[in-house]
């Protein structure tokens, strides 16, 4: 598969940029198994990198200019920008993600001494919530680090990529997406404490079951969504809790019991709900990883379902399409657990499905969803992959 992709990319590269010596890079997407909207609340997440992602074919240029072309967005044409002094430019569309990375690298003292010709090809479905933006950001960071021998480790590149999305693109995301994309390891998920960035790999041994991603095919846009609103609500709730618990740094530090005792200090009922989700989801994530490591897959699945209820009822980020996919999945024999994954407001669900039930799952959920929503979902069986790397 990768060989075919490379051949196609090389042919297109020559057409657009001319015949040059190139290097190939790959940056995965990610799916979060449990722990949603906990990352910016100082809690735990449990994502893994997946085999769908973003390829880049790269050639060095002699001048300060970078030209980028995406085979997925061919109608947008070649995006061109200088390698210094960049500011957000709406007309540059998707290229603002790599431009943001170039800018934060320069601000941190890692200045590019020349530009590139870059051809992009992504296998992640657009608007799916599988982190195509983080995939492109960490990909750009690795290209820069590799070309100029900056010597940065992956965690530093991950932090710079997150900073690009926060400060340049203007989406106040947590660290999870970039971390999972950059630090992914084949056949493992990452238990990440977003408060301290302590992490460990956990082997995903799903004997006789697979991770199935179902895409609502409803596009979502983080920047224009209620994402930043949710974050602000949680920050305000945390500030009110600090009035009675001055030592509290993040909602992710609280046990469920401690939160229930303190919740009355949050004056706005809606903000209390948002904070409750952040606390309970964090503790649910720790319980779920414990269950998985004890080979109690059934308990892990039950906690996935409970995560979806909380995202629907307390955090209000699911919506009709995601709820329909999850509710239909729960009714299919052989489904161990199912929940929305990613920021919400569209995008995907992630389900653990027994291997012998996968085809029936696709057929039953696909048919009923299409009847109810009016268009079909898409399904992907996810292979857990390594993080962003140069393809030898």
């Amino acid at each position: 598969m990768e060989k075919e992709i490379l051949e196609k990319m090389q042919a297109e590269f020559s057409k657009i940029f001319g015949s040059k010596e190139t290097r190939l890079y790959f940056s995965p997407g990610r799916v979060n198994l449990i722990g949603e909207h906990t990352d910016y609340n100082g809690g735990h997440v449990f994502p893994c990198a997946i085999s769908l992602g973003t390829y880049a074919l790269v050639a060095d240029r002699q001048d300060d200019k970078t030209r980028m072309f995406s085979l997925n967005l061919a109608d947008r044409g070649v995006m061109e920008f200088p390698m210094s002094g960049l500011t957000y430019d709406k007309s540059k569309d998707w290229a603002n993600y790599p431009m943001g990375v170039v800018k934060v690298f320069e601000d941190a003292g890692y200045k590019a001494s020349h530009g590139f010709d870059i051809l992009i090809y992504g296998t992640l479905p657009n608007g799916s919530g599988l982190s195509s933006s983080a995939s492109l950001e960490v990909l750009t960071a690795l290209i820069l680090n590799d070309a100029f021998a900056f010597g940065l480790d992956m965690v530093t590149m991950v932090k710079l990529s997150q900073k690009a999305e926060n400060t340049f693109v203007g989406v106040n995301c947590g660290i999870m997406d970039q971390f999972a994309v950059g630090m992914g390891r084949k056949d493992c998920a990452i238990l990440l404490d977003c408060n301290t960035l302590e992490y460990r790999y956990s082997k995903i041994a799903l004997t006789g079951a697979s991770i199935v991603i179902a895409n609502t095919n409803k596009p979502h846009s983080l920047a224009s969504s209620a994402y930043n609103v949710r974050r602000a609500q949680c920050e305000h709730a945390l500030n009110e809790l600090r009035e009675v618990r001055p030592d509290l740094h993040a909602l992710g530090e609280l046990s469920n019991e401690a939160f229930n005792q303190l919740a009355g200090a949050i004056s706005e009922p809606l903000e209390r709900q948002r904070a409750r989700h952040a606390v309970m989801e964090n503790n649910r994530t720790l319980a779920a990883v414990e269950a998985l490591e004890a080979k109690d897959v059934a308990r892990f699945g039950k906690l996935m379902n409970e995560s979806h209820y909380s995202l629907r009822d307390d955090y209000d980020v699911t919506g009709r399409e995601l709820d329909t996919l999850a509710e239909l999945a729960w009714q299919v024999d052989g489904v161990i657990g199912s929940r929305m994954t990613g920021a919400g407001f569209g995008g995907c669900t992630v389900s653990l499905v027994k291997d012998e039930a996968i085809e029936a799952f696709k057929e039953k959920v696909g048919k009923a969803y299409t009847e109810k929503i009016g268009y079909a979902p898409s399904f992907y069986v996810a292979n857990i992959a390594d993080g962003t790397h140069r393809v030898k």
Side-chain angles (χ1 to χ4, degrees):
M1 178 69 178
E2 208 160 69
K3 189 168 177 279
E4 288 165 24
I5 287 170
L6 178 58
E7 284 170 2
K8 179 187 175 184
M9 289 181 73
Q10 281 176 328
E12 292 296 326
F13 189 99
S14 297
K15 273 189 225 166
I16 296 158
F17 299 121
S19 186
K20 297 179 180 184
E21 194 176 316
T22 56
R23 314 182 281 283
L24 181 67
Y25 296 85
F26 177 73
S27 189
R30 68 93 193 95
V31 66
N32 190 25
L33 298 177
I34 194 164
E36 218 65 76
H37 289 278
T38 49
D39 57 345
Y40 54 81
N41 285 308
H44 292 77
V45 292
F46 195 52
C48 53
I50 57 176
S51 50
L52 300 169
T54 315
Y55 290 89
L57 203 55
V58 181
D60 295 329
R61 289 177 61 89
Q62 300 304 308
D63 57 14
D64 180 46
K65 187 193 296 178
T66 284
R67 298 184 299 173
M68 298 187 78
F69 184 85
S70 168
L71 291 177
N72 306 83
L73 299 164
D75 59 315
R76 318 280 163 93
V78 175
M79 298 292 175
E80 197 174 289
F81 53 87
M83 292 298 279
S84 63
L86 288 165
T87 53
Y88 185 88
D89 181 348
K90 198 175 174 188
S91 72
K92 293 284 191 273
D93 197 51
W94 62 270
N96 280 292
Y97 293 99
M99 284 163 60
V101 175
V102 171
K103 172 78 163 79
V104 297
F105 263 66
E106 184 180 23
D107 291 349
Y110 303 106
K111 183 167 173 8
S113 52
H114 63 74
F116 306 94
D117 287 334
I118 303 177
L119 183 81
I120 297 288
Y121 175 65
T123 53
L124 287 165
N126 277 349
S128 60
L130 299 175
S131 287
S132 54
S133 57
S135 179
L136 186 55
E137 287 156 357
V138 182
L139 183 68
T140 307
L142 183 63
I143 290 167
L144 293 172
N145 194 50
D146 198 32
F148 304 115
F150 290 141
L152 301 175
D153 61 31
M154 184 53 82
V155 172
T156 304
M157 288 190 270
V158 158
K159 288 178 181 173
L160 288 168
S161 297
Q162 182 207 8
K163 190 176 181 187
E165 186 141 351
N166 291 168
T167 62
F168 194 90
V169 180
V171 178
N172 211 4
C173 65
I175 191 91
M176 173 183 68
D177 292 353
Q178 291 83 2
F179 200 97
V181 162
M183 298 293 288
R185 182 183 288 178
K186 189 170 167 44
D187 298 329
C188 293
I190 308 167
L191 179 64
L192 170 66
D193 181 338
C194 298
N195 213 8
T196 62
L197 288 197
E198 285 176 22
Y199 67 96
R200 64 181 172 83
Y201 293 100
S202 179
K203 195 89 174 153
I204 300 291
L206 296 173
T207 313
S210 296
I211 296 166
V212 182
I213 297 165
N215 189 353
T216 60
N217 287 326
K218 176 193 178 184
H220 80 303
S221 166
L222 273 188
S224 61
S225 75
Y227 181 93
N228 289 345
V229 175
R230 295 296 182 285
R231 182 161 185 164
Q233 287 169 331
C234 287
E235 284 170 1
H236 193 253
L238 175 64
N239 287 335
E240 290 194 317
L241 290 175
R242 278 190 185 134
E243 288 173 21
V244 289
R245 270 280 302 270
D247 61 321
L248 191 65
H249 295 108
L251 293 171
E253 294 172 8
L254 293 170
S255 67
N256 292 353
E257 296 72 27
F259 176 77
N260 288 334
Q261 286 167 2
L262 295 169
I266 304 169
S267 55
E268 174 61 53
L270 195 59
E271 291 184 352
R272 201 177 308 139
Q273 277 179 245
R274 305 297 190 242
R276 181 168 62 217
H277 166 76
V279 172
M280 306 277 171
E281 179 78 350
N282 178 51
N283 294 313
R284 193 164 26 243
T285 301
L286 294 171
V289 175
E290 203 174 273
L292 199 61
E293 290 178 342
K295 300 199 168 23
D296 189 348
V297 178
R299 175 155 169 72
F300 187 89
K302 185 169 177 287
L303 290 161
M304 285 177 77
N305 297 347
E306 287 174 11
S307 168
H308 189 91
Y309 306 150
S310 180
L311 287 156
R312 179 189 67 195
D313 302 336
D314 276 344
Y315 223 65
D316 189 22
V317 291
T318 56
R320 183 165 172 255
E321 294 81 4
L322 285 166
D323 286 338
T324 299
L325 275 183
E327 286 158 15
L328 290 169
W330 297 332
Q331 294 165 24
V332 176
D333 287 342
V335 173
I336 300 160
S338 185
R339 57 180 286 276
M340 64 152 269
T341 185
F345 316 108
C348 294
T349 59
V350 58
S351 305
L352 293 187
V353 186
K354 289 181 178 169
D355 289 338
E356 67 272 17
I358 289 174
E359 288 313 308
F361 170 81
K362 288 180 184 176
E363 190 184 332
K364 287 178 183 172
V365 173
K367 184 170 182 285
Y369 178 89
T370 306
E371 283 170 8
K372 184 171 178 181
I373 302 298
Y375 50 85
S378 308
F379 299 97
Y380 313 89
V381 178
N383 295 311
I384 301 176
D386 286 324
T388 308
H389 60 278
R390 183 169 170 182
V391 181
K392 299 295 183 224

